[in-house]
Amino acid sequence: MKVNRDQFLEDGYIILRNAIPPDQLDELRAAYEIMVERQKIIWARQRKRDDPPGGAWETNSQPRLHLNSIADQIDAETVATVEIWLHEGMQGVSSELLGVEDAAVTEMMMMCNPVRDHGTANHRGWHRDFYPPNCAPLQGYVDDIIENGPRYVQWNLPLYDDDVLWVVPGSHNRFNTDEENEQLIKDPCAPLHSGIQTHLKAGDGVAYILPLLHWGSMYNTTMRRTIHGGFSTFTACRDRGYLEHLCPASQKTFERWDRRGKRMMEHTMSALRSAMNKDSARYDAALDNLHPGRGKYGKRQSTMFLSKAAKRIHKLKSPDFERLSGPERNYCEMVEPMTLRWGVPIADRFSVDEAQVLWERFKPVDDGLQADEIQWAPGLQGDNTHYYLNEVPADLTVENFIAGWQA
Ligand SMILES: O=C(O)CCC(=O)C(=O)O
Ligand SMILES: [Fe+2]
């Protein structure tokens, strides 16, 4: 399939009509419905004391199916829910959009309608799908994307017609305008003047670049089954008990991606160890191996991600870690290769003392990303934070990071 990559890079999104051929929709709907029912049973079993009988599925404004979390439920009857991700119209197109040979699938999810009406004033309002304190300020993404193209492409692909998603064309490459901020401060859950509503027919897809400003406009009980997830240049190795049910070509694909994921975790290790050893040539080579051909902004972005990796590894190795719970613990344990998060397995490769050296090495980057004052910006909400949300300070460069090793 030939796609207009230039348009995608300019607008930050692209709509692909009939990404899935209409004659495949019925089979997919049936397979996904079975998986939704299986997850509902699991969620009902896991409900908390104050939850309704169906657990979080019944309270969530946008309940999601997470295929990676219930991989053991995928069998011959439902394996089409995975196979679709390898379809030329999704995987092939994602490779073209990313400008790589073989894009790898990251998360495989589905957004579903809630059991009761939540309307417009719900969920997150307009947002950009990343929280800078955990990865990098918006400018880090923008400069990297303009210099090198995106590292990740996200998808919505509805199995039933879907008008929920709004996007602001071109917003992946810039900060919010003053007018957008004014509107968002007044009401983060209303159409932006710069926004447009997507109108997707069953089988159409929209692929978008992650910092794009977007909004899930309406969560009501209209049947919604929208495939959601993304592709990146590499992915994590996961539990894939379903492999035996896939066709031989798809099995090979996942095995190839898992091998690549393992190599990329080793390159991440090498980058971290090279910094510990103050070996700048190896550090640079490891960044090149992770993201071939990326320039100075790409390397700055990777360095900011690695500073977060160092911080998480240091936390994971601390004696207090066992006492952590909730989001802070999840953040340390979560695996998300596109932001160089490899979870517990990478922390296990460091001793407590090494984790201390690692953190000391990257702390100047982390300090440089924080201001004295609390930061706040519409569309990048989260807890009170000192981390910059929009700007990357001008003196935060890979050159300065490495120069600091001599001190
Ligand atoms: O519902 C949608 O289409 C958008 C959802 C979304 O942006 C999100 O959950 O982060
Ligand atoms: Fe989002």
Side-chain angles (χ1 to χ4, degrees):
M1 201 185 288
K2 203 77 217 112
V3 293
N4 191 340
R5 182 168 191 248
D6 291 340
Q7 195 72 46
F8 170 70
L9 293 178
E10 190 174 322
D11 292 341
Y13 76 100
I14 190 166
I15 290 179
L16 301 139
R17 299 290 170 198
N18 287 323
I20 299 180
D23 62 357
Q24 292 189 20
L25 284 172
D26 277 341
E27 186 201 339
L28 259 182
R29 286 173 182 145
Y32 265 106
E33 220 42 45
I34 297 170
M35 288 305 290
V36 166
E37 287 308 315
R38 288 179 186 170
Q39 186 181 281
K40 277 191 195 167
I41 292 170
I42 293 169
W43 282 27
R45 249 190 257 133
Q46 294 171 343
R47 73 179 180 273
K48 305 219 173 65
R49 213 152 42 106
D50 298 330
D51 278 349
W57 192 272
E58 284 184 39
T59 50
N60 217 313
S61 64
Q62 188 222 71
R64 281 188 189 193
L65 171 69
H66 295 263
L67 285 184
N68 284 330
S69 327
I70 54 165
D72 61 338
Q73 301 287 317
I74 299 166
D75 54 17
E77 200 183 7
T78 57
V79 76
T81 58
V82 174
E83 287 280 13
I84 192 60
W85 288 92
L86 308 193
H87 189 280
E88 175 61 20
M90 286 193 87
Q91 193 270 337
V93 166
S94 298
S95 300
E96 279 188 53
L97 293 175
L98 289 174
V100 298
E101 235 164 66
D102 179 31
V105 73
T106 55
E107 292 298 324
M108 299 183 285
M109 299 180 282
M110 168 168 271
M111 302 190 289
C112 300
N113 59 285
V115 299
R116 65 175 176 82
D117 207 333
H118 290 251
T120 53
N122 59 68
H123 212 54
R124 301 163 61 184
W126 286 89
H127 63 275
R128 289 181 181 268
D129 264 7
F130 73 107
Y131 184 46
N134 293 350
C135 29
L138 177 55
Q139 192 187 341
Y141 282 87
V142 169
D143 290 343
D144 182 31
I145 288 165
I146 291 174
E147 183 184 63
N148 312 292
R151 298 175 184 213
Y152 173 70
V153 55
Q154 187 154 290
W155 280 80
N156 282 15
L157 197 158
L159 302 185
Y160 300 89
D161 300 356
D162 185 348
D163 299 335
V164 171
L165 183 75
W166 285 63
V167 297
V168 176
S171 58
H172 64 303
N173 268 345
R174 61 163 176 80
F175 294 166
N176 296 353
T177 63
D178 291 342
E179 196 203 344
E180 283 162 354
N181 280 337
E182 261 169 48
Q183 273 195 274
L184 293 177
I185 288 165
K186 222 161 98 199
D187 185 355
C189 297
L192 282 174
H193 297 151
S194 54
I196 63 163
Q197 186 171 15
T198 63
H199 297 283
L200 303 174
K201 295 280 166 217
D204 293 346
V206 56
Y208 46 109
I209 298 177
L210 189 126
L212 192 77
L213 191 56
H214 64 278
W215 175 43
S217 62
M218 173 64 80
Y219 293 107
N220 60 27
T221 56
T222 309
M223 180 66 155
R224 191 176 197 219
R225 296 285 185 265
T226 294
I227 293 174
H228 178 72
F231 291 82
S232 191
T233 50
F234 52 84
T235 192
C237 309
R238 296 191 188 265
D239 202 3
R240 301 197 201 275
Y242 52 79
L243 274 194
E244 58 171 312
H245 303 297
L246 291 164
C247 73
S250 300
Q251 291 181 19
K252 280 211 180 77
T253 298
F254 274 109
E255 283 160 4
R256 188 172 71 240
W257 290 343
D258 283 348
R259 279 197 303 275
R260 192 191 309 160
K262 275 197 190 118
R263 283 201 307 277
M264 293 302 161
M265 188 172 118
E266 291 310 314
H267 291 315
T268 308
M269 274 299 293
S270 166
L272 295 171
R273 290 233 177 254
S274 306
M276 288 166 67
N277 299 334
K278 304 187 176 181
D279 186 337
S280 58
R282 278 207 180 174
Y283 182 73
D284 193 62
L287 295 191
D288 266 333
N289 284 328
L290 281 167
H291 296 290
R294 294 215 164 223
K296 69 171 183 174
Y297 290 123
K299 288 181 175 163
R300 182 186 64 182
Q301 183 74 342
S302 300
T303 298
M304 291 191 280
F305 290 159
L306 289 171
S307 75
K308 310 292 177 187
K311 193 171 181 178
R312 285 190 306 270
I313 291 167
H314 184 242
K315 265 200 193 143
L316 278 159
K317 298 304 286 190
S318 102
D320 297 335
F321 184 75
E322 283 313 314
R323 286 203 288 279
L324 279 189
S325 62
E328 218 183 336
R329 191 185 179 102
N330 287 347
Y331 167 63
C332 290
E333 292 179 339
M334 193 180 141
V335 175
E336 188 189 77
M338 68 191 181
T339 50
L340 304 178
R341 299 184 207 187
W342 298 100
V344 175
I346 198 164
D348 284 345
R349 305 272 295 271
F350 292 85
S351 70
V352 173
D353 290 348
E354 285 170 339
Q356 182 64 32
V357 175
L358 176 68
W359 174 228
E360 277 165 22
R361 189 74 69 246
F362 279 93
K363 194 168 178 302
V365 176
D366 192 65
D367 289 342
L369 283 170
Q370 296 179 68
D372 292 337
E373 308 79 33
I374 298 271
Q375 303 290 300
W376 183 81
L380 295 170
Q381 300 92 331
D383 303 331
N384 281 349
T385 182
H386 288 274
Y387 283 100
Y388 292 112
L389 301 175
N390 277 312
E391 285 89 8
V392 176
D395 59 357
L396 203 158
T397 63
V398 177
E399 243 176 21
N400 285 346
F401 171 51
I402 289 173
W405 298 352
Q406 305 320 322

